[in-house]
Amino acid sequence: RDVTGVQTCALPISLIGLGFMFGEISLLQYFSVYLGHPIYSLGVCLFSLIFSTGLGALVSGRLRLDSRGAFAVWGVLVAAALLAAQHWLTGLFHATTAEALPVRIAISLAVVMPIGFLLGFAFPTGMRLVEAVDVEPTPWFRGINGATGVLASVLAVIVGMAGGINVTMSLAGLCYLALIPVAFALLGQGARAGVRAGTAAA
């Protein structure tokens, strides 16, 4: 087995776990202040994020990011949304913080669900990319993603306390931006693996 290829496969799965948890913790912290109580943030933000992420994962089976161009567009959209969040969320909150709670909840849903939908493409797409390179160690990659997510949740809180929510959100965006060149490498390796498999079958 190509050890370098396996290591390359582990990197995007780790970045996805880090980026998602950094983004999730940041959004929970942002909306905890906006909605007035952490329980509202958990109930509204976390539910809508998980639900919309699931929808994105479902759609990713049909709308596949199986080319460099498609993946680049998706990666830039996700990174831009997360990196810009610290700026446009501040303005949005300032303009609507006096609204009634149901209105702020609706605004929160309108903000979180599109981001969650885009984030939902990451893990299924990442798994398809690594499976194209080497199918056998894919259970390990699922474990790596889960472990990275758990560690990232703790790390995100620490980073937020030390540097602020904006730093944590920026790191989330950078994780997804870093996925683009790694995915390009995996797409190339997957194509070569497919050629080798076809040659061997012939």
Side-chain angles (χ1 to χ4, degrees), residues 11-12 15-16 18-20 71-84 119 122 169-184:
L11 179 58
L15 286 172
I16 290 168
L18 285 169
F20 183 82
F71 196 95
V73 170
W74 170 83
V76 169
L77 282 175
V78 173
L82 294 173
L83 290 171
L119 295 180
M169 184 65 87
S170 295
L171 288 174
L174 291 174
C175 284
Y176 284 98
L177 199 61
L179 274 174
I180 297 175
V182 179
F184 283 8

Side-chain angles (χ1 to χ4, degrees), residues 68-159:
R68 292 182 175 182
F71 196 95
V73 170
W74 170 83
V76 169
L77 282 175
V78 173
L82 294 173
L83 290 171
Q86 57 190 291
H87 304 293
W88 60 269
L89 279 181
T90 301
L92 176 65
F93 291 166
H94 180 74
T96 60
T97 190
E99 299 291 341
L101 180 59
V103 175
R104 282 181 283 136
I105 289 175
I107 292 172
S108 301
L109 293 173
V111 170
V112 173
M113 292 193 71
I115 295 176
F117 180 79
L118 288 174
L119 295 180
F121 279 73
F123 185 68
T125 300
M127 290 304 300
R128 282 194 292 268
L129 290 178
V130 301
E131 286 172 356
V133 175
D134 194 346
V135 175
E136 187 174 339
T138 50
W140 286 100
F141 297 141
R142 295 181 184 274
I144 289 171
N145 178 261
T148 306
V150 172
L151 293 174
S153 64
V154 178
L155 184 59
V157 173
I158 295 174
V159 171

